[in-house]
Each structure stands twice: as structure tokens, then as C-alpha cells.
Amino acid sequence: MTMVTDTGVSAEEREAILGAVREFADTELAPYAIERDEKHVFPRESLHRAGELGLGGIYVREESGGTGLSRTDTVAIFEELAKGDPAVAAYISIHNMVAWMIDTYGDDAQRGQWLPKLTSMAEFGGYCLTEPGAGSDAANIATSAVRDGDDFVLTGVKQFISGGGEAGVYVVMARTGGPGSGARGISSFLVPGDAAGLSFGALEKKMGWHAQPTRQVILDGVRVPASAMLGDEGRGFAIAMSALNGGRLNIAACSLGGAAWALDAAVKYVHERVAFGEALAEMQSVLFTIADMRTELQAARLMVRDGAQAVDEKDPDATMRCAMAKRFATDAGFDIANKALQLHGGYGYLQDYGVEKVVRDLRVHQILEGTNEIMRLIVGREMLRPSGSATQQRGGAS
């Protein structure tokens, strides 16, 4: 009898999917990760091949051309991808978030126009929320969208946009309401990458994530038809926030993958390295460190799975559980990678070993998709609501 998971995919199918992803990571990502990092190479061809595997629309519905997998299966996929290269895996995560938004909130025409290109990764997606003056305070974005007949005219600057200058479509959050309208005055638009008036800043010089481009996206009177609005007017902020539950899980899973790779590298190294006439693997301090790294990794993995399950089940605590998972897993992932570097000693600081790259790549996961301070704010506010005791009970029983 074939066992079927609670997400509708049989255990055999799930293992086959993860096996294919693992092979892709081993052949298309891992062998080139250090070179792409050093030379700042955006791996377009490898991403096209990822699309051929169905990795461009992992949780886009099958009827829309996606793979239609659950969030529980999705986080397992991103963990495997990040073992090959966390920077590339993280970009695939952002691309998937864009495709999911169009599938979930778009109309038939929008889905028909963009999803075939995105799910195949023939074209890439960009998510444009953050601005130079509105990072964590996203409800106060200043980019405007002014109605002009049958069109909207968009003006403003978006900051820290992954895939900037490479994407075929950008989901842009812009203010359609007047001053002081806050979150309720924000709408979402689909802006083609070749739109007149759209330009891009210089490549940002970053600590990590060198294999994906990050630029400002500059909208100077970009005109789009009213039909390019994604969802209803004034719902853009809610749409952006709904996408972040999945985005936070994905980036947490990327931290798991990078940390798992670093832990494996550390285990291999301490077996090979001898100091003071003794293998590092035989030293109690090293043994304890490895044990703590493995324990933290497993705890983080379970929290990410819990958040994914909450999204799959549409649990009322899903946002809080995703925030907890994102905060815990990205903190743990960076800590594990940093400990792996320390166990390598001076060699960990050298680029040839790849550990310092993973440390640099994972550091930004504590910042993007909502900083970990914002994750604490989400959890704390939820717990201290008047109904907090009921929330606690639901969270404890999950």
C-alpha cells in the first residue's frame, strides 16, 4: 500500500521530488557556488533548468501551471537547494513568492500572461515593497500610483530588490490613497521589466548573496493599465503581508540548508584535522560543539515544519508560528555556520573552503522578509492580545 502524507503527496513521490532537487543542487549549484560568489555571477541558465524541474512555481496551483506542492514539501525543497548554494536558493524563494502572489490574487488574464513564463523560469520575478525610507515600517511607503484615465502612473524608488534589472515582472506596492492613508492606501501592481520609465540603480556591494543581483528599482512615471492592478485597490499591503508567511518559511528553510552544509563540512574537517597529537573529533569541547550544532539544527527544522503545517492547515496562528520559525531558524542557521567556521580555525576564513561564504550568505536571512526584531514584535503582540490565553493554548497544542 502506498503511504500518502497529509499534504496529498505520497512518501515515494516526495522522496523522488527531493531526490531530483538534491541532484540539481549537487550538479547545478554546489560545484559553482564559490566561483559565482567570487565573480558575482547570476546563474540564469541554471535557473532556467530549475524551471524545467518545476521549481519556478513550487506552490503555484497545478491548474495554473505550477507544481502545486504543500508548504511542508516546499520547505524541504528549499533546504535541499540551499545545501548547494544559499544565495541562489534564496532568489528562487523570492521568485516563487511572486508567482504565488499572481496565482493567488491575479485574474485569469494576469495568470495567463505571467505564470507560464514564471513557472518555467523563462522569466524571473521581483518583489518590490521596501523603500529607502520605509524598511520595517512598510505601511509608510511613499511610491505613488496616480490614476490617469484607464492607467495608473507609478513614481518612486524601491530598495534592496533581489533580481533588480533581471526580472521580467515586478510586483510593486504603491500608494493609491492620499497622505495618511497608511496600509489601507496601498495597492499592488504588476510592472513589466521593460516598462517605459523603469530603471535600476547600480549593483549593491553586499556582504553576501553575491550570486544574485540587488538593485534599486526606480519608477519614473511608469504607466501601466488599470488591469495591471493585482487584487483590489487598497489591498496591496494585505497582499504583501500574506506573501510573507511563505517567504519567511522559505528563507528559514534556506538557513537550514546552509547550516546543514556547514555542519557536514565541520564534521568532515574535525575528523581530518589533528592538533596537539589528537584528532579534533576526539576533543570533548569539539564534540560538545558539534552536538549543540546538530541539536539547534534539528530544533530549527521542526519549527520550520510546524510553521509550514500551520500555513497548509490555514491555522489562525499561522502568522505567529511562521514568525517564530523564521526568527529561530535564521538565528540558529547563522550561529551553526559561524561555529563551523570557528571549528575550521584559520582555514574557515579562507574562501576556498566555502564556509565563510555560507556565513556571509546566511547573515542577511536575519534581516530580510521582516527583521528578526519584527518577528519578535509579531509574536509578542499576538501573545499579549486580550485573547492571548486562547492563542497560547492553540500554540501549545499545535
Side-chain angles (χ1 to χ4, degrees), residues 96-320:
N96 270 268
M97 187 167 66
V98 170
W100 176 84
M101 293 173 74
I102 295 173
D103 182 36
T104 303
Y105 298 103
D107 56 31
D108 288 342
Q110 291 168 338
R111 287 193 289 267
Q113 179 181 3
W114 294 114
L115 287 182
K117 304 172 188 176
L118 293 177
T119 57
S120 65
M121 296 196 84
E123 293 189 6
F124 308 125
Y127 176 80
C128 299
L129 175 63
T130 302
E131 296 185 0
S136 295
D137 189 12
N140 282 324
I141 63 172
T143 296
S144 63
V146 178
R147 187 73 185 241
D148 183 18
D150 293 331
D151 298 333
F152 280 91
V153 180
L154 278 65
T155 302
V157 178
K158 297 295 182 178
Q159 184 75 26
F160 305 132
I161 307 305
S162 293
E166 295 284 349
V169 61
Y170 298 88
V171 177
V172 177
M173 310 305 162
R175 186 164 300 284
T176 49
S181 57
R184 294 184 179 86
I186 297 171
S187 301
S188 179
F189 295 88
L190 299 175
V191 177
D194 59 356
L198 186 69
S199 62
F200 309 94
L203 282 170
E204 301 288 1
K205 298 177 181 178
K206 299 169 294 187
M207 174 179 175
W209 272 22
H210 293 165
Q212 56 164 288
T214 304
R215 295 182 176 91
Q216 285 189 335
V217 172
I218 303 164
L219 303 108
D220 184 9
V222 173
R223 183 177 292 270
V224 296
S227 60
M229 181 180 288
L230 184 65
D232 296 331
E233 185 167 349
R235 291 288 296 162
F237 187 76
I239 290 172
M241 293 301 103
S242 72
L244 286 178
N245 275 346
R248 287 164 182 164
L249 289 173
N250 294 349
I251 213 66
C254 289
S255 287
L256 296 179
W261 180 91
L263 175 56
D264 287 345
V267 168
K268 180 180 178 182
Y269 181 80
V270 299
H271 274 298
E272 296 171 349
R273 181 71 170 176
V274 174
F276 306 105
E278 184 181 13
L280 291 185
E282 297 175 4
M283 297 180 178
Q284 189 177 71
S285 62
V286 171
L287 185 149
F288 284 178
T289 300
I290 292 291
D292 287 345
M293 293 162 71
R294 181 64 179 84
T295 302
E296 290 172 16
L297 178 62
Q298 184 64 9
R301 184 178 287 126
L302 291 173
M303 287 199 71
V304 173
R305 289 176 182 171
D306 176 75
Q309 182 180 354
V311 174
D312 284 333
E313 296 176 352
K314 297 180 172 56
D315 191 283
D317 283 345
T319 295
M320 182 175 70

Side-chain angles (χ1 to χ4, degrees), residues 17-29:
I17 291 168
L18 292 178
V21 173
R22 200 173 293 122
E23 181 180 1
F24 174 82
D26 288 344
T27 58
E28 291 282 348
L29 301 183

Side-chain angles (χ1 to χ4, degrees), residues 255 326-336 366 372 376:
S255 287
K326 192 270 182 182
R327 199 286 297 169
F328 190 88
T330 57
D331 282 350
F334 177 76
D335 183 58
I336 291 164
Q366 297 168 292
N372 284 2
R376 291 180 174 93

